[in-house]
Amino acid sequence: MIDVVGVRFKNAGKVYYFDPDEKDFTLGSNVIVETARGMEFGTVAMEKKAVSQSSIVQPLKKIVRHADDKDVLQYKENLKKKEKAIELCQEKIDKHGLDMKLIDVEYTFDNSKIIFYFTADGRVDFRELVKDLAGVFRMRIELRQIGVRDEAKMLGGIGACGRSLCCSSWLADFEPVSIKMAKVQNLSLNPTKISGICGRLMCCLKYENDTYMQLRKGMPYPGERISTPEGHALVIESNILENKIKVRLILEERREDKPEKVSTEVYVYNKKEIKRFSKDKNGDKEDIFEDIDADTLDEIKVLLKD
């Protein structure tokens, strides 16, 4: 185990571990640390804590010192210079006719480098742009292409929920989000309904996914055959939050010359009252309609639409 202090450089940014060097740092205090980019101004986001060696990326840099008033003033001056830098860079981009969108500008604390963040559909030849920028700013220039999710994180905004974007207000890291999460939660698969302003699947689909996955265990899918206290039945709806399964009883089994006959009445059961017939190795069927004949399948789809 080794003692570390967590430092964050941006609002809702990732927390990085640093060696406290036997000093005490309070939560929220400003510090100067040494990074691969040089000296940086950061904020303590995690007080001294013992972590395992495996969670440390070596070599572990030390916190140089507490930030004083002069350091805070320099940090604020760097932030003020951003607007002018964005304006100048945009002029150069327009001059060279580059197909790129400038998102943000960042000065390193010691003013040894200036970083321009941009988005583009493909690769951009910005060699001439770098030469022009170096002539204006007279420091090291770095142009970094970012994705649409990082763009939303930097620019911020209001989500469909009416609150500030999670990624720009508190979410430190992006977690993988899949369309399967929307399916598990019975959400509309309309891209406009489940996508954030970045155009990717909303991060909040991940928040409740574990709960839904736990509740879904043992629940049948629409179209699946199950056993009920009244006999065999076809599932027409499965509500995992209410633990309710709506079915139509199978009155006549399928034959070669005629399809299955199901009841017009709908019966409702909970998970404990039914028994599933066929499951895959993970306990869930992958293709829920694979063993249903065409006529019955069409009838089920009409019922599901209703």
Side-chain angles (χ1 to χ4, degrees), residues 263-295:
S263 66
T264 56
E265 295 182 6
V266 175
Y267 296 79
V268 181
Y269 301 95
N270 61 48
K271 185 166 56 178
K272 294 182 179 180
E273 293 178 306
I274 63 99
K275 181 180 179 182
R276 301 177 71 185
F277 291 134
S278 56
K279 304 176 184 178
D280 65 1
K281 62 182 179 180
N282 296 319
D284 292 312
K285 288 181 63 61
E286 292 296 328
D287 187 355
I288 61 178
F289 298 116
E290 63 181 353
D291 59 347
I292 302 176
D293 61 274
D295 293 335

Side-chain angles (χ1 to χ4, degrees), residues 32-142:
I32 303 299
V33 298
E34 182 186 356
T35 71
R37 302 194 314 184
M39 293 297 181
E40 290 287 358
F41 181 95
T43 303
V44 175
M46 185 190 77
E47 294 183 323
K48 186 184 296 185
K49 176 182 177 182
V51 298
S52 62
Q53 291 278 1
S54 59
S55 60
I56 301 295
V57 177
Q58 298 293 349
L60 187 64
K61 301 284 188 179
K62 292 184 179 181
I63 296 180
V64 178
R65 65 177 188 276
H66 283 91
D68 55 24
D69 293 340
K70 184 178 179 181
D71 294 325
V72 174
L73 183 62
Q74 181 174 338
Y75 174 71
K76 291 180 178 179
E77 285 296 324
N78 288 344
L79 293 179
K80 289 180 181 179
K81 292 189 293 185
K82 283 176 54 173
E83 292 186 13
K84 185 64 175 177
I86 290 175
E87 183 180 340
L88 289 172
C89 183
Q90 189 60 56
E91 289 179 2
K92 299 298 182 182
I93 291 174
D94 295 338
K95 171 187 172 183
H96 292 282
L98 298 175
D99 187 15
M100 55 191 288
K101 179 182 177 183
L102 183 63
I103 302 300
D104 197 11
V105 176
E106 178 183 352
Y107 281 86
T108 57
F109 177 72
D110 56 6
N111 279 258
S112 62
K113 182 196 296 186
I114 182 170
I115 304 170
F116 296 89
Y117 297 93
F118 71 95
T119 59
D121 292 334
R123 298 188 65 179
V124 179
D125 184 0
F126 46 69
R127 287 174 293 183
E128 294 301 320
L129 174 63
V130 170
K131 291 179 182 178
D132 282 358
L133 293 175
V136 173
F137 294 101
R138 298 193 179 281
M139 63 176 68
R140 291 176 58 196
I141 303 294
E142 180 179 340

